[in-house]
């Protein structure tokens, strides 16, 4: 395989962009394991008292990930995220104003391999979320497993990440004064296994739990489509029924975490690696779908609102695809 190396005279700003994305990829793929290993080493060292004190803190703080987390505006506004934004670049597009007196569920599509658009737009202020949507506070929901990892849980909560448990979503949507935005990657871990350039298949037909909670709390639904999300990485061919896909599905059911076999570019060469390609990401926030609060929604209520959501998501995609390089004959495929 021929390796295409990066030129030596790359401008400093691009080096900083690459460094920003490199630390993000490391945080996503390896920081949790390093934090866990560090905690184990602390337990068996002469400083085991600190580990014991932190264990007590974990117990006392156990409900925080399901109660809005503990965000840090300093971390969200850190300049490293501006370099992260400019690497792709990353853009957040508003179609209408949103009332800060309501609570919202942003349905984020597609999941992609590493949810780069979801993180960059809603866990940092690099794309100007607070300026575009004044009075609203975004929370990106993440698998509960990660909030059990020592030290790592505290870091990710600083960015506004919270647990994806039902209790966590209910807490956000029940805020009496409104202003909360729960951002859900609806397709979840299984959809990541189909994330590759050109893919427009979304796992959503049987995902209705968020619809039920929206009805119970009267939270408005907002479809969000991130153009370019699936263009960031290549992935090994893994069609349904293949040995690789069987193994991935089995591990996903066992651990709750998807393991896509992906590749991108490297730091000093462009042929292979774990960094995403420099492809633009345009995250379009669609029009809200009004929801009438229904404390005990029926199956018909859920199915009806689910259909309206699919229509709204399709509209966001069709109205914007020409602007972002999607061919006119390409359409979303729901499974």
């Amino acid at each position: 395989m021929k390796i295409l190396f990066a030129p030596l005279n790359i401008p400093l700003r691009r080096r900083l962009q690459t460094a920003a994305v490199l630390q993000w990829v490391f945080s996503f793929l390896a920081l949790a394991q390093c934090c866990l290993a560090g905690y184990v080493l602390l337990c068996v060292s002469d400083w085991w008292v600190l580990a014991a004190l932190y264990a007590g803190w974990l117990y006392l703080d156990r409900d925080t990930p399901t109660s809005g987390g503990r965000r840090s505006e300093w971390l969200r506004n850190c300049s490293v995220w501006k370099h992260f934004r400019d690497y792709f670049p990353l853009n957040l597009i508003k179609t209408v104003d949103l009332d800060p007196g309501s609570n919202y569920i942003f349905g984020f599509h597609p999941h992609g391999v590493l949810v780069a658009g979801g993180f960059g737009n809603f866990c940092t202020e690099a794309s100007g979320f607070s300026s575009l949507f004044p009075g609203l506070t975004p929370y990106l929901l993440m698998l509960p497993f990660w909030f059990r990892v020592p030290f790592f849980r505290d870091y990710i909560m600083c960015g506004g990440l919270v647990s994806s448990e039902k209790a966590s979503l209910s807490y956000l949507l029940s805020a009496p004064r409104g202003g909360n935005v729960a951002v859900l990657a609806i397709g979840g871990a299984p959809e990541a296994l189909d994330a590759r350039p050109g893919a427009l298949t979304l796992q959503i037909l049987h995902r209705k739990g968020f619809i039920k909670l929206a009805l119970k709390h009267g939270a408005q639904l907002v479809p969000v489509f991130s153009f370019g999300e699936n263009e960031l990485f290549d992935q090994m061919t893994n069609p349904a029924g293949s040995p690789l896909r069987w193994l991935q599905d089995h591990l996903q059911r066992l651990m709750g975490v998807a393991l896509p076999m992906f590749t991108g570019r490297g730091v000093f060469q462009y042929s292979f690696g774990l960094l995403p390609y420099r492809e633009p990401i345009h995250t379009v926030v669609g029009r809200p779908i009004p929801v009438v609060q229904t404390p005990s929604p029926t199956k018909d209520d859920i199915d009806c609102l689910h259909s309206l959501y699919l229509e709204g998501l399709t509209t966001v995609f069709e109205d914007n695809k020409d602007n972002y390089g999607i061919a006119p004959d390409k359409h979303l495929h729901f499974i």
Side-chain angles (χ1 to χ4, degrees), residues 33-99:
Q33 294 88 329
C34 291
C35 287
L36 183 59
Y39 182 73
V40 171
L41 290 176
L42 191 62
C43 287
V44 299
S45 72
D46 293 338
W47 298 90
W48 62 268
V49 174
L50 294 179
L53 290 173
Y54 185 79
W57 163 252
L58 284 179
Y59 177 77
L60 295 174
D61 197 52
R62 63 190 182 280
D63 293 330
T64 300
T66 58
S67 303
R70 185 171 47 251
R71 60 206 296 122
S72 165
E73 292 306 321
W74 176 84
L75 183 62
R76 288 175 54 84
N77 286 278
C78 188
S79 60
V80 68
W81 304 125
K82 294 179 181 179
H83 298 300
F84 175 89
R85 173 199 64 198
D86 295 339
Y87 175 91
F88 300 99
L90 177 69
N91 297 290
L92 182 64
I93 296 96
K94 178 177 76 172
T95 54
V96 296
D97 292 329
L98 297 180
D99 178 14

Side-chain angles (χ1 to χ4, degrees), residues 17-27 84 267 275-276:
Q17 293 165 10
T18 301
V21 172
L22 178 63
Q23 65 82 26
W24 171 73
V25 171
F26 170 78
S27 298
F84 175 89
V267 177
L275 292 186

Side-chain angles (χ1 to χ4, degrees), residues 79-299:
S79 60
V80 68
W81 304 125
K82 294 179 181 179
H83 298 300
F84 175 89
R85 173 199 64 198
D86 295 339
Y87 175 91
F88 300 99
L90 177 69
N91 297 290
L92 182 64
I93 296 96
K94 178 177 76 172
T95 54
V96 296
D97 292 329
L98 297 180
D99 178 14
S102 299
N103 294 311
Y104 299 87
I105 294 179
F106 279 19
F108 184 86
H109 310 271
H111 183 285
V113 173
L114 298 182
V115 206
F119 177 86
N121 287 309
F122 304 117
C123 294
T124 80
E125 286 294 331
S127 57
F129 179 91
S130 295
S131 299
L132 291 171
F133 302 102
L136 296 181
T137 304
Y139 299 86
L140 181 62
L141 277 73
M142 193 174 186
L143 289 173
F145 167 81
W146 298 112
F147 295 92
R148 301 188 183 102
V149 181
F151 306 125
F152 182 73
R153 66 188 292 276
D154 302 292
Y155 172 69
I156 59 178
M157 281 195 290
C158 287
L161 284 132
V162 295
S163 173
S164 59
E165 295 174 70
K166 180 180 177 181
S168 178
L169 185 54
S170 293
Y171 177 89
L172 297 176
L173 301 182
S174 60
R177 296 185 180 180
N180 283 345
V181 176
V183 184
L184 279 170
I186 305 297
E191 194 172 274
L193 300 178
D194 292 316
R196 52 176 49 85
L200 293 173
T201 298
L202 304 180
Q203 297 205 21
I204 190 173
L205 288 183
H206 302 292
R207 295 179 178 266
K208 300 180 181 180
F210 73 104
I211 299 290
K212 186 176 181 179
L213 283 176
L215 284 165
K216 281 188 173 182
H217 295 281
Q220 298 189 48
L221 289 168
V222 180
V224 177
F225 195 87
S226 195
F227 292 89
E229 192 73 38
N230 281 341
E231 312 304 313
L232 304 182
F233 296 97
D234 290 311
Q235 190 169 168
M236 288 182 63
T237 303
N238 59 342
S242 66
L244 176 58
R245 188 54 173 264
W246 177 90
L247 178 61
Q248 289 174 320
D249 289 340
H250 183 72
L251 291 174
Q252 192 273 319
R253 287 192 295 269
L254 183 66
M255 302 185 301
V257 180
L259 297 173
M261 302 296 291
F262 66 92
T263 183
R265 50 156 290 186
V267 177
F268 302 110
Q269 46 78 30
Y270 303 136
S271 301
F272 63 90
L274 296 179
L275 292 186
Y277 299 125
R278 284 182 179 265
E279 294 289 341
I281 303 173
H282 304 282
T283 304
V284 182
V285 179
R287 292 179 174 273
I289 300 168
V291 177
V292 177
Q293 187 170 8
T294 310
S296 300
T298 65
K299 183 179 182 299

